[in-house]
Each structure stands twice: as C-alpha cells, then as structure tokens.
Amino acid sequence: DGFEVVEVVEEAGLTLIALRPKLDGGDFSIVRLAFDGARLARMEFVDGLDQTTAIEFFDVEINSELDDALFRFEVPRGVNVLGGAR
C-alpha cells in the first residue's frame, strides 16, 4: 500500500517492477523487484544517497517442508527477554 508501480518491463526472461514510495522521507527512493515467473529472483533498494543494495535469490524452494525446531527460540544464558508472550 505504501508504494506505487512506476514501471513494469520484460528483460532477459524476467519481469522487472519498479516501485516508488507514495510518501516522501522514507528509507528508499525506489525499489526494484525482478521475478522469474512467480519466483522472486532479485530485489534492489535505492536509498536517499542514491546507493543501491541488491539481493539475489538462488536455489529457492517454494512451499518446502520445514522442521518446527527451526523456529524455536531458546534464550541464551545471561540474557533477559523484555516484552514477548507470557
């Protein structure tokens, strides 16, 4: 909801979508997403200093089974947890 689509193009088998924030003063001046079909292949963020951060995704598995143990948090010794569920 916070972004508007400013460009959609096809390039090298990818669908490239450029998004611009609707409100000024955000962290990014533009966000670009690259899709290979339904799979997100790359994200690019351009910040207020015109620097670009690019993240590429490889070997993505969609809807794979994940062990519940991957999401169990154990509080390390000597650490206090503030807030959270009671």
Side-chain angles (χ1 to χ4, degrees), residues 7-70:
E7 183 178 45
V8 178
V9 296
E10 298 288 328
E11 181 180 300
L14 298 173
T15 301
L16 307 174
I17 302 171
L19 307 168
R20 181 164 289 129
K22 291 180 178 178
L23 300 175
D24 291 335
D27 293 329
F28 305 106
S29 60
I30 196 153
V31 175
R32 294 184 191 98
L33 306 174
F35 289 91
D36 182 3
R39 183 184 68 84
L40 181 62
R42 185 174 63 239
M43 295 171 55
E44 293 181 0
F45 305 93
V46 180
D47 66 22
L49 298 174
D50 212 26
Q51 296 189 48
T52 301
T53 300
I55 302 168
E56 293 197 33
F57 300 95
F58 299 96
D59 299 324
V60 175
E61 292 183 30
I62 297 174
N63 296 326
S64 61
E65 292 290 324
L66 298 175
D67 186 346
D68 289 342
L70 291 171

